[in-house]
Amino acid sequence: MSEDNHAPDNPRTALTYKQAGVDIDAGERLVEMIKPLAAATRRPGADAALGGFGGLFDLKAAGFSDPVLVSATDGVGTKLRLAIELGIHHTVGIDLVAMCVNDLVVQGAEPLFFLDYFATGKLAPEIAAHVVEGIAEGCQRAGCALIGGETAEMPGMYAPGDYDLAGFSVGAVERPDILPKTTLASGDMLIGLASSGIHSNGFSLVRHILSSREIALDTPAPFAPAASLGEALLTPTCIYVASCLAAIKTGGVKALAHITGGGLTENLPRVLPEGISAEIDLATWELPPIFAWLGQLGHVADAELLKTFNCGIGMIAVSAPDRVEETLKSFEAAGERAYVIGQLTNARPAAEVAYRGELLGG
């Protein structure tokens, strides 16, 4: 009996999983396509082999003596909609890794391994392979191993061509080196690390602004004329792992804050102890043109921009005043654009982060 010759109303017809919309052979082809990508992420503690039921990692082989494990999970959010509409699938894989490993390093942890979850209605192995190519590149930038993942083909759950993406990463930090330090105090200085753009947060507002102004993704980007608007918006999230780990080793870093959803306003307070607030001077760095354009186009107030986007600062480090210069030099030596953007203060009654100046110049 031919696999395609079926009559659902005939109880004698032999039905198959493929007829139900799940192509196991396509899944196997994808595994073969991504094996070399995973192998390229090998590191001490993991051989990055795929195909087993679980991924193994040897902490002793990675050189830890008294480790504390740190875990993080995240997705890419509605930035995926842009990737799907534009047919550009590589960069969101980098975003996925970045959103997880940047959350690990703020605890002082070295990312060790990563697993991804790719779900779609009908598997297109070539598209999925492009996504995993980006994931593998992100893992290499972060120094962690891609040791496994899951591909779920779920007919009826997603519109044709759509997919969803999530990731999970585990890192480790020696017990005495956990961040934030308990020595955070008023007068400590804030060092901001430049972002590459919007990163992976706030895209629901971005898409709302573009839709309300009827601006197409294939139009030239006003803030980056060499690229289309869609291409510029898909610039992947910075991975700060190497530079932050190097700065931590100098002993000058007391805390780190990854600036994700909630912007500077909501994320910096997450690492501050009770009784301590922060003051940020908005004149200490130049607002990247993409944020200025969105703010002006959507008539978005400064406070809303600062609570939604990173506004050009993707990571904040806290350093004692006498360690600021060496911490800055460490970040700059690792290729970061770093700025002293403010300081910690005694607690304020109205806000945990206070701002001086204006983002959009009024």
Side-chain angles (χ1 to χ4, degrees), residues 43-340:
R43 55 149 295 154
D47 62 12
L50 297 182
F53 286 96
L56 303 178
F57 193 91
D58 185 342
L59 283 169
K60 186 176 181 180
F64 289 90
S65 57
D66 184 22
V68 174
L69 294 179
V70 185
S71 61
T73 185
D74 212 332
V76 183
T78 58
K79 190 175 187 178
L80 276 182
R81 174 50 53 197
L82 275 66
I84 292 168
E85 290 178 5
L86 293 165
I88 300 173
H89 306 285
H90 169 78
T91 56
V92 289
I94 300 173
D95 285 310
L96 181 67
V97 176
M99 296 304 292
C100 293
V101 298
N102 286 342
D103 279 356
L104 296 181
V105 78
V106 299
Q107 309 269 188
E110 173 189 346
L112 302 176
F113 59 84
F114 190 89
L115 297 96
D116 67 277
Y117 176 79
F118 180 95
T120 186
K122 182 174 177 57
L123 181 62
E126 293 76 15
I127 290 176
H130 279 304
V131 173
V132 177
E133 180 184 355
I135 292 171
E137 181 175 340
C139 285
Q140 287 180 293
R141 294 185 188 184
C144 64
L146 177 59
I147 65 171
E150 174 69 13
T151 302
E153 193 172 21
M154 299 187 289
M157 289 292 290
Y158 297 90
D162 282 1
Y163 61 85
D164 200 6
L165 195 57
F168 178 86
S169 190
V170 170
V173 55
E174 297 289 4
R175 198 174 302 274
D177 300 328
I178 295 173
L179 297 180
K181 298 293 187 182
T182 58
T183 55
L184 287 171
S186 177
D188 285 343
M189 305 302 291
L190 303 176
I191 298 173
L193 305 185
S195 68
S196 58
I198 298 177
H199 286 182
S200 296
N201 300 104
F203 273 88
S204 293
L205 177 55
V206 172
R207 292 170 55 242
H208 180 64
I209 292 172
L210 299 184
S211 174
S212 65
R213 300 297 186 267
E214 298 183 343
I215 298 175
L217 293 174
D218 59 358
T219 59
F223 46 85
S228 72
L229 178 58
E231 290 169 340
L233 290 171
L234 284 178
T235 300
T237 306
C238 286
I239 293 178
Y240 297 104
V241 170
S243 60
C244 285
L245 289 177
I248 289 169
K249 287 180 180 177
T250 70
V253 175
K254 289 187 173 186
L256 291 164
H258 183 201
I259 309 305
T260 55
L264 285 79
T265 303
E266 300 292 339
N267 283 288
L268 182 54
R270 295 169 65 182
V271 301
L272 301 181
E274 186 176 352
I276 295 294
S277 289
E279 184 176 87
I280 292 178
D281 184 351
L282 299 176
T284 52
W285 78 94
E286 185 176 351
L287 182 71
I290 187 171
F291 298 106
W293 181 73
L294 286 169
Q296 291 164 359
L297 187 67
H299 304 292
V300 184
D302 280 7
E304 187 68 16
L305 286 172
L306 289 162
K307 196 169 67 172
T308 305
F309 301 113
N310 64 64
C311 294
I313 300 295
M315 182 75 74
I316 294 178
V318 183
S319 177
D322 61 347
R323 306 296 295 273
V324 167
E325 287 304 318
E326 65 177 309
T327 305
L328 279 171
K329 288 179 181 178
S330 175
F331 280 125
E332 290 166 355
E336 303 287 0
R337 287 174 292 147
Y339 321 93
V340 176

